[in-house]
Amino acid sequence: MRPTLLLPALAIVVVLLAGCAGGRMGPVPPLTSSEPAASVTVQRSRSALGAPASMLFSIDDRKVYALRWGQQFSFMIDPGEYRFGYDLGFNQCRQRLILEPGERYIVRMTPVCQIELLRYGDLR
């Protein structure tokens, strides 16, 4: 490859890899309640739609975690009402969820704006 083409090709690779990056983006709200915390596991579906891009999970419109295809992220949070959501490409999806003290939840997210809240005990 000629040196004049190397720099633009490298720039394209960096941009593509940045879109696939996953991991923590910001903090989960701190635990402050005297009630037992809720345990939440957020799962991104293994759908082919949007697979190359990271799903940017947010709590109350604050980005918390970038989930790659099929990845999950677990955390503890005070019970209460929250607005969970994600950005994936041009999709911005949000849903109001109420979390109860001491409960364990699975939040399943698909690239077609489905955010499903399940109690851990309901999965058995």
Side-chain angles (χ1 to χ4, degrees):
M1 186 178 280
R2 295 191 331 222
T4 56
L5 296 177
L6 184 59
L7 191 55
L10 184 59
I12 289 170
V13 169
V14 168
V15 168
L16 288 175
L17 289 176
C20 296
R24 187 167 300 277
M25 298 181 70
V28 171
L31 297 175
T32 58
S33 176
S34 60
E35 295 183 295
S39 172
V40 178
T41 297
V42 176
Q43 299 176 334
R44 178 182 175 172
S45 72
R46 293 185 183 270
S47 170
L49 293 173
S54 291
M55 181 180 275
L56 308 179
F57 170 69
S58 63
I59 301 172
D60 294 335
D61 292 321
R62 283 183 239 124
K63 288 184 177 59
V64 174
Y65 205 89
L67 294 156
R68 293 180 299 239
W69 184 80
Q71 189 177 20
Q72 65 182 28
F73 167 62
S74 297
F75 57 94
M76 302 295 284
I77 192 167
D78 281 339
E81 183 177 320
Y82 296 93
R83 194 170 130 146
F84 282 14
Y86 68 81
D87 295 342
L88 180 64
F90 294 111
N91 287 342
Q92 293 184 337
C93 305
R94 306 288 183 266
Q95 184 169 327
R96 182 180 144 259
L97 302 175
I98 297 174
L99 306 176
E100 295 181 17
E103 287 291 331
R104 294 170 50 191
Y105 296 96
I106 303 288
V107 177
R108 292 186 180 153
M109 301 184 303
T110 70
V112 292
C113 279
Q114 289 180 322
I115 300 173
E116 182 180 20
L117 179 68
L118 302 166
R119 287 180 195 260
Y120 188 78
D122 294 342
L123 299 174
R124 297 178 195 164

